[in-house]
């Protein structure tokens, strides 16, 4: 028999405790059946916790925290909670963000709201700036969806790497005249010392 992946029971208990604290008995009432098991717990609550633990399997602590910090008008179902944990991205807005942040990245001033947007931008490379959204819309959707999935699967890091300072190409650097004089003086000092002591 295949075992089903589940979120740890302690996490589910904390989620249920948190929502009970926010919504009181209105949260528990969503699941209660009135049938109490031998441990003195309502069977509906036991079943709800089992479903939540299975449906939330694979969610990260950061995602669970995002779901818990979301403001709900009513006690959430597991589906509502899952959407809050992993909100869907607005593709066009994400594209605009990517274009702007990649431009800012040239000066190491980029700020990314979601690392998946960065990795999708990297995937599209120069096309990101060379084509309008409508002409590469499907490619952008695919790149963003893949980036989200690769982060979840651990294939991509859940963070944006820092911009590395690029060294100038050989022969493309300029040294201030004062520095040139200082270096020549040091070389003369070394050579003079060798000639005198030599």
């Amino acid at each position: 028999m295949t075992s089903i992946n589940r979120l740890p029971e302690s996490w589910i208990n904390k989620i249920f405790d948190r929502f009970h604290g926010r919504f009181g008995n209105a949260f528990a009432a969503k699941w209660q059946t009135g049938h109490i098991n031998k441990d003195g717990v309502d069977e509906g609550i036991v079943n709800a916790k089992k479903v939540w633990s299975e449906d939330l399997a694979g969610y990260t602590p950061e995602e669970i925290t995002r779901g818990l910090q979301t403001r709900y008008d009513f006690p959430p179902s597991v589906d509502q909670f899952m959407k809050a944990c992993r909100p869907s991205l607005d593709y066009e807005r994400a594209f605009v963000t990517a274009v702007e942040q990649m431009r800012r990245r040239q000066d190491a001033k980029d700020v990314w709201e979601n690392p998946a947007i960065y990795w999708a931008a990297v995937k599209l490379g120069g096309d990101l700036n060379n084509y309008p959204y409508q002409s590469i819309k499907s490619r952008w959707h695919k790149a963003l969806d893949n980036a989200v999935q690769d982060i979840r699967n651990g294939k991509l890091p859940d963070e944006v790497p820092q911009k590395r300072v690029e060294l100038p190409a050989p022969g493309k650097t300029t040294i201030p005249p004062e520095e040139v004089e200082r270096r020549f003086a040091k070389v003369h000092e070394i050579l003079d010392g060798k000639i005198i002591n030599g």
Side-chain angles (χ1 to χ4, degrees):
M1 184 174 170
T2 307
S3 64
I4 298 173
N5 288 332
R6 291 191 170 123
L7 202 66
E9 185 179 346
S10 61
W11 288 28
I12 294 298
N13 288 336
K14 286 178 183 173
I15 292 168
F16 271 61
D17 288 347
R18 176 81 177 185
F19 283 133
H20 184 266
R22 281 172 66 181
F23 296 105
N25 288 336
F27 181 71
K30 287 179 67 110
W31 325 114
Q32 290 173 335
T33 61
H35 298 287
I36 308 301
N37 67 15
K38 61 179 172 49
D39 297 323
V41 181
D42 190 287
E43 290 178 0
I45 299 285
V46 172
N47 187 50
K49 287 184 176 183
K50 177 180 168 229
V51 169
W52 281 57
S53 70
E54 291 171 359
D55 287 354
L56 293 170
Y59 279 60
T60 66
E62 294 77 19
E63 290 172 326
I64 298 294
T65 299
R66 184 183 302 125
L68 289 172
Q69 290 174 344
T70 299
R71 307 320 295 173
Y72 304 91
D73 292 328
F74 302 99
S77 67
V78 68
D79 291 343
Q80 291 165 332
F81 184 70
M82 290 166 69
K83 285 179 184 174
C85 291
R86 291 181 177 171
S88 58
L89 291 168
D90 178 326
Y91 291 101
E92 189 168 0
R93 183 176 166 275
F95 180 84
V96 171
T97 297
V99 170
E100 172 64 16
Q101 295 309 318
M102 287 306 258
R103 184 187 60 74
R104 291 172 53 97
R105 191 166 178 82
Q106 294 172 6
D107 301 319
K109 294 181 180 176
D110 52 320
V111 179
W112 299 86
E113 62 189 65
N114 186 321
I117 297 173
Y118 167 78
W119 292 114
V122 168
K123 179 72 175 175
L124 262 63
D127 289 351
L128 189 74
N129 291 314
N130 295 329
Y131 294 96
Y133 176 70
Q134 290 303 324
S135 64
I136 58 172
K137 181 177 175 180
S138 61
R139 285 180 57 208
W140 172 250
H141 285 212
K142 183 176 181 182
L144 190 54
D145 288 344
N146 287 344
V148 168
Q149 197 58 46
D150 286 347
I151 289 171
R152 285 184 189 151
N153 295 337
K155 292 181 182 177
L156 285 173
D158 191 15
E159 59 186 9
V160 175
Q162 284 188 331
K163 166 87 169 137
R164 293 186 181 172
V165 178
E166 295 180 16
L167 297 175
K172 300 294 183 186
T173 58
T174 56
I175 302 172
E178 309 82 44
E179 178 64 14
V180 172
E181 288 179 24
R182 190 188 69 73
R183 291 182 186 182
F184 271 121
K186 187 72 175 168
V187 169
H188 283 294
E189 184 182 317
I190 293 169
L191 290 174
D192 289 344
K194 284 187 176 181
I195 292 169
I196 293 171
N197 296 326

